[in-house]
Amino acid sequence: MHREVFTFLLAFLLSVLAIEPLKRYQKRRRIGQYIREEGPDLHNYKTGTPTAAGIVFIPIALAVASIFAFRAEILIVVLAGILFGLIGLVDDISKIVKRNASGLSGKRKLALQLVSAAFIVFLIQLINPHTHIEIPFLGKIGLGFAYYPISAVIIAGMSNAVNLTDGVDGLAASVYIFSLAPMLALPVWQNGLIAPISGALAGFLWYNWFPASIFMGDTGSLSLGGIMAVIFALDGREGFLIFFGLMFLVEMFSVIIQVFSFKVFGRRVFKMSPIHHHFELSNWKESKIAFRFSLIAFIGAVFGLLSW
């Protein structure tokens, strides 16, 4: 536990110190976030806010984890973080160059995510061959060859889920911390990653809590989602994302439900999706959304601990 406390504090401090100059540089160069036109009008004032802080706190988290918890599994998670982070970085740069929020097309982004996820699944099989997914309270379910594409889809899907959650100040980072930090109560190898990632995210929250002075960008959110999924995929525990990734899955499925309902029935289930926008348009403050979603994420993680 001493190592986890040290790596958390180290990643936190480095993140706080490194994000400030990135923020100042972007302000001097007038580089910033472009807000989606289909998003809520409440966010228009955020246009121009510095972005892509993930380019700083993700390498910090992964470097600290690699140095103080070196093992093969950690290196695979680090690689996953780099691959998905690079996809996000290309997307962020594309938005800045185009001067709008479109970035990479959805199809291109998904294709890159699936290819990256498939490569990570291949690497996992080299050090821990398995074709099962463990479901909380139910045990291991053998899937045979079908495991490989299913695991890749889960990894890519979780990357997108965290990305979709990143739409309110402090939301994605705080939900992520409260989703994984409870695992520190378990004597598992994953703690070597969770502590520095949580620390780096806490450092990012220093600037991102409402009102945010910098955003993580797709560089951060896509990387974080890939990291979370691979942390569980390495042991065949993707099923535990039901609890440990609860709020991210709620956000993702709110979009799926909204799109399906509108296309099939011509009606919207939510005022706007992802679901955090629904509550925002219901007059919830951004800080209230971040706090309540994080609390639910923590409760879900506690159930995950009970089922471990």
Side-chain angles (χ1 to χ4, degrees):
M1 182 56 71
H2 291 112
R3 182 190 65 182
E4 282 74 23
V5 172
F6 174 75
T7 55
F8 176 92
L9 293 175
L10 177 61
F12 168 77
L13 180 61
L14 292 175
S15 187
V16 169
L17 293 175
I19 289 175
E20 180 63 30
L22 173 66
K23 184 180 70 172
R24 292 182 179 181
Y25 172 79
Q26 291 190 41
K27 284 185 175 181
R28 287 198 307 268
R29 300 298 297 270
R30 296 183 179 180
I31 298 171
Q33 180 73 37
Y34 290 90
I35 306 301
R36 292 186 305 128
E37 293 181 0
E38 63 271 25
D41 293 338
L42 298 170
H43 288 191
N44 289 338
Y45 76 94
K46 298 183 180 184
T47 298
T49 301
T51 188
I55 198 173
V56 170
F57 72 76
I58 290 293
I60 287 173
L62 297 180
V64 172
S66 299
I67 293 171
F68 293 95
F70 185 85
R71 56 185 291 169
E73 290 89 343
I74 298 288
L75 294 181
I76 290 180
V77 178
V78 168
L79 180 58
I82 292 172
L83 289 176
F84 284 97
L86 287 174
I87 297 171
L89 180 60
V90 171
D91 195 30
D92 286 333
I93 292 175
S94 179
K95 292 173 184 177
I96 293 171
V97 172
K98 293 179 180 178
R99 295 183 177 274
N100 60 53
S102 60
L104 289 173
S105 69
K107 291 182 179 180
R108 287 183 180 179
K109 187 187 296 185
L110 181 59
L112 289 171
Q113 288 173 303
L114 287 172
V115 170
S116 298
F119 179 61
I120 294 299
V121 171
F122 168 75
L123 293 181
I124 290 173
Q125 295 303 310
L126 294 180
I127 66 168
N128 185 23
H130 62 273
T131 57
H132 70 267
I133 287 181
E134 188 169 351
I135 307 296
F137 301 114
L138 296 179
K140 297 178 181 179
I141 298 178
L143 298 174
F145 181 80
Y147 169 79
Y148 307 119
I150 290 175
S151 182
V153 168
I154 290 174
I155 294 171
M158 184 55 64
S159 177
N160 278 316
V162 176
N163 181 238
L164 290 169
T165 306
D166 184 32
V168 168
D169 292 359
L171 180 60
S174 57
V175 167
Y176 201 96
I177 292 172
F178 280 95
S179 294
L180 289 184
M183 284 186 66
L184 294 171
L186 296 172
V188 293
W189 68 265
Q190 287 93 332
N191 290 344
L193 278 161
I194 293 171
I197 290 172
S198 297
L201 275 174
F204 167 68
L205 274 175
W206 186 270
Y207 301 98
N208 185 246
W209 194 257
F210 182 84
S213 60
I214 192 169
F215 301 135
M216 70 168 64
D218 285 8
T219 307
S221 60
L222 293 182
S223 180
L224 287 172
I227 289 170
M228 174 177 276
V230 175
I231 282 175
F232 291 92
L234 275 156
D235 293 337
R237 294 179 183 264
E238 291 95 331
F240 283 77
L241 289 168
I242 296 171
F243 290 133
F244 289 101
L246 175 62
M247 285 311 303
F248 296 122
L249 295 177
V250 168
E251 292 272 21
M252 181 177 67
F253 280 105
S254 73
V255 174
I256 295 173
I257 292 170
Q258 183 88 324
V259 172
F260 176 82
S261 178
F262 185 75
K263 288 188 175 182
V264 176
F265 304 109
R267 299 177 60 185
R268 292 181 173 86
V269 177
F270 309 105
K271 294 178 181 179
M272 184 177 289
S273 66
I275 199 170
H276 59 259
H277 287 322
H278 170 85
F279 289 108
E280 197 174 8
L281 293 176
S282 299
N283 297 319
W284 284 29
K285 300 294 185 182
E286 292 189 46
S287 54
K288 177 184 286 188
I289 295 171
F291 171 76
R292 290 184 174 177
F293 278 36
S294 297
L295 181 60
I296 296 172
F298 179 79
I299 293 171
V302 170
F303 276 100
L305 291 180
L306 295 176
S307 63
W308 193 265

